[in-house]
Amino acid sequence: MRLTRYFLPVLKETPKEAQIVSHQLMLRAGLIKQQSAGVYVWLPFGLKVLKKIENIIREEQNNAGAIELLMPTMQGADLWRESGRYDDYGLEMLRIKDRHERDLLFGPTAEEVVTDVFRTYVRSYKDLPLNLYNIQWKFRDEIRPRFGVMRGREFLMKDAYSFDIDENGARDSYRKMFLAYLRTFQRMGLRGVPMRADTGPIGGDLSHEFIILAPTGESGVFYDAIYEERDWANAEIDFSNTDTGRKQREELFNEVLQSYAATDEMHDDAEFKAKVPEERRREGRGIEVGHIFFFGEKYSKPMGAKIMGPEGKEINAQMGSYGIGVSRLVGAIIEASHDENGIVWPKEITPFDLGIINLKSGDAECDALCDKLYDIALKAGREPLYDDRNERAGAKFATMDLIGVPTQITIGPRGIQNGVIEIKDRKTQEKKEIPITEFETWLKA
Ligand code: 5CA
């Protein structure tokens, strides 16, 4: 992308309304524009980031055997009356009337809709396990939307819903998502620490929040350092519906949960000290980016989502749901990865993986070389952002750092004279020169 042909409205000043650094940087680096309280326009650069995150989530959901569909944002109130939640949900639910005076709502979550899909088509235990997910906008009329996309009213969520014939099956479906989440967050350059969460009406041990660590997090967290060490992105996890797969998942799940991690709400200091040796105890703050639940027959029973069981008897499906805050993750990643100059994108997330800075736009030699290197990068399958604006060098450096492009190359008349270009690492700010002739080799290395 050439910057002169792109739409990247960066701001020089830090907007006053933004309290936390991710919100400030998202406004300054041209990712979002507020439309109304807690509702945002995703500008082109922000949209690219959102799509990167979405794609990693999608790949890992598919890999774990979940199947994507797309449910509507507008839901009929009648489904929610069936489950009993229409009256319970309260003011967070945005209720709407259509021209026929029928009650609609903007979905805050989709248990009812997916249960309705299930009961329409699924008849037999042989069709299970089944896990359906979608990545769709939700609306919750939060009383205090704040921190930009971290607590919005309209936000993008990945929500998956599992259906099983019995609790054993449901536990396995839960473990699949649990393990897929560990991989998902690590692939984004984050550590998603699973914390025991309040299980709500069902009770039991099957609810976890996935928290990523960041100093501005809303909750205090206590955890074993082991959660920062284990490599999940490269772990071989067997997601097949075989006995070996199920056994491996159970072992991994139990192993992960042997240690200790809890938010301040659920924290038990005596247990923490008993389970974790002092040198491994960690305390910090975190941001909830995912939440998974097992809730059994809570929706299948009132909504009649029954299937024929192996013994020829009708049984209610056992369900769980698994959420990830896709749009919240954009803010959370920035909270976890920035410095005084701006965003530092993890390489898996960055929309552009190579910045090209032309120190003297308009100079025939500089322009020609930049064009050439830009083409080479494109042909090599890279996503370069070429700053070809007629701007001061200082402004170009500042913009590239603000928007967080991980690797930046600088081309200027003096370098050309010496046959070199400069390469900078965004994170470490380390610079080195390489011969122009070696650019292609360097790019491929
Ligand atoms: N039905 C379940 C799971 S699919 C559910 O809705 N869970 S949730 O309420 O915990 O939301 C799932 C995730 O969405 C949260 O972990 C959080 O990352 C994100 N989320 C929730 N509310 C907001 C909000 N107001 N703004 C941005 N993200 C949010």
Side-chain angles (χ1 to χ4, degrees):
M1 183 65 68
R2 285 168 192 272
L3 204 43
T4 52
R5 295 186 200 161
Y6 197 42
F7 184 67
L8 183 74
V10 298
L11 307 177
K12 284 207 183 67
E13 308 291 325
T14 299
K16 284 191 195 63
E17 73 267 25
Q19 297 164 33
I20 61 168
V21 71
S22 61
H23 189 195
Q24 293 167 354
L25 288 172
M26 285 182 76
L27 294 169
R28 279 191 59 207
L31 276 79
I32 52 167
K33 180 200 179 298
Q34 185 174 316
Q35 177 52 48
S36 61
V39 178
Y40 294 88
V41 175
W42 288 81
L43 298 168
F45 189 58
L47 181 62
K48 273 181 180 283
V49 177
L50 198 63
K51 292 284 173 198
K52 290 263 173 182
I53 293 172
E54 206 183 296
N55 282 337
I56 292 175
I57 294 171
R58 179 174 288 115
E59 277 176 27
E60 294 299 329
Q61 290 290 294
N62 294 347
N63 184 50
I67 306 166
E68 187 171 10
L69 79 174
L70 185 59
M71 293 183 273
T73 53
M74 286 295 138
Q75 305 182 5
D78 285 345
L79 277 182
W80 288 68
R81 293 195 176 101
E82 280 189 62
S83 73
R85 279 210 289 185
Y86 191 65
D87 292 328
D88 294 351
Y89 212 93
L91 292 172
E92 255 183 35
M93 179 187 274
L94 183 65
R95 296 158 207 257
I96 301 157
K97 272 201 198 297
D98 70 12
R99 62 165 75 191
H100 305 293
E101 293 287 304
R102 278 189 291 249
D103 294 319
L104 295 172
L105 56 102
F106 195 128
T109 175
E111 279 82 0
E112 283 78 359
V113 176
V114 79
T115 304
D116 181 49
V117 170
F118 181 87
R119 71 178 172 187
T120 305
Y121 301 109
V122 184
R123 293 278 168 264
S124 161
Y125 73 96
K126 291 179 193 146
D127 300 323
L128 302 187
L130 180 66
N131 184 327
L132 298 172
Y133 77 96
N134 76 170
I135 299 175
Q136 177 62 293
W137 293 93
K138 305 289 188 289
F139 195 95
R140 293 183 186 172
D141 204 355
E142 302 273 352
I143 188 160
R144 265 203 313 153
R146 62 203 166 120
F147 303 154
V149 299
M150 299 268 249
R151 184 165 301 281
R153 293 199 298 165
E154 190 184 52
F155 59 97
L156 190 59
M157 193 200 284
K158 184 285 298 180
D159 39 325
Y161 304 87
S162 66
F163 300 87
D164 282 274
I165 51 168
D166 56 21
E167 195 184 318
N168 265 342
R171 281 183 179 270
D172 182 53
S173 292
Y174 187 92
R175 291 180 197 126
K176 281 184 189 163
M177 286 292 108
F178 183 97
L179 295 167
Y181 276 30
L182 293 173
R183 282 178 54 99
T184 303
F185 296 125
Q186 200 181 327
R187 276 192 59 196
M188 295 175 191
L190 302 169
R191 285 290 170 161
V193 183
M195 312 252 170
R196 219 185 286 171
D198 210 337
T199 47
I202 303 285
D205 55 351
L206 288 188
S207 179
H208 289 92
E209 283 177 15
F210 283 77
I211 301 258
I212 65 142
L213 303 165
T216 45
E218 284 190 303
S219 346
V221 291
F222 303 82
Y223 61 99
D224 185 330
I226 193 155
Y227 289 109
E228 292 172 336
E229 291 157 7
R230 184 79 187 259
D231 180 8
W232 291 106
N234 297 301
E236 292 279 338
I237 304 172
D238 181 351
F239 284 106
S240 71
N241 291 325
T242 58
D243 286 341
T244 16
R246 279 187 280 271
K247 192 154 166 274
Q248 190 216 18
R249 294 192 288 271
E250 184 173 0
E251 278 167 12
L252 282 172
F253 180 75
N254 289 341
E255 188 193 315
V256 176
L257 291 183
Q258 232 165 43
S259 203
Y260 185 95
T263 57
D264 39 18
E265 278 170 33
M266 301 292 288
H267 180 57
D268 175 341
D269 212 49
E271 194 190 336
F272 187 38
K273 288 187 172 134
K275 272 192 162 173
V276 189
E278 190 167 359
E279 70 277 7
R280 307 185 57 82
R281 280 179 221 147
R282 299 284 183 275
E283 265 185 67
R285 300 201 72 78
I287 301 166
E288 180 204 314
V289 291
H291 202 159
I292 62 178
F293 310 82
F294 166 68
F295 46 74
E297 304 178 9
K298 185 173 176 200
Y299 302 93
S300 59
K301 195 171 173 187
M303 294 184 68
K306 289 194 277 281
I307 38 159
M308 193 54 78
E311 270 108 49
K313 266 199 332 223
E314 284 205 317
I315 45 182
N316 296 318
Q318 296 287 328
M319 293 176 60
S321 76
Y322 315 89
I324 294 183
V326 184
S327 47
R328 175 179 289 186
L329 267 166
V330 181
I333 290 170
I334 296 172
E335 288 296 330
S337 187
H338 67 270
D339 63 18
E340 65 281 4
N341 299 322
I343 301 166
V344 181
W345 291 120
K347 64 178 188 312
E348 302 83 356
I349 299 297
T350 188
F352 299 107
D353 59 1
L354 182 72
I356 301 176
I357 294 173
N358 187 343
L359 288 182
K360 206 172 175 194
S361 295
D363 174 273
E365 268 192 323
C366 286
D367 290 355
L369 183 61
C370 285
D371 284 346
K372 188 173 150 200
L373 301 190
Y374 178 70
D375 279 342
I376 291 173
L378 278 179
K379 288 207 179 86
R382 302 288 290 258
E383 295 168 290
L385 178 69
Y386 169 22
D387 192 344
D388 56 345
R389 293 173 304 165
N390 228 329
E391 276 278 354
R392 290 178 302 112
K396 292 187 178 185
F397 290 130
T399 301
M400 238 5 133
D401 275 1
L402 173 65
I403 67 171
V405 182
T407 309
Q408 306 166 12
I409 63 170
T410 301
I411 290 129
R414 221 181 48 223
I416 292 181
Q417 227 165 44
N418 300 327
V420 295
I421 55 175
E422 189 182 84
I423 296 176
K424 187 179 92 174
D425 182 90
R426 167 66 185 87
K427 189 170 180 178
T428 62
Q429 297 284 320
E430 270 164 16
K431 294 174 186 162
K432 65 171 181 191
E433 288 185 342
I434 62 162
I436 296 168
T437 48
E438 278 172 26
F439 175 70
E440 211 170 336
T441 325
W442 168 83
L443 201 60
K444 284 175 180 156

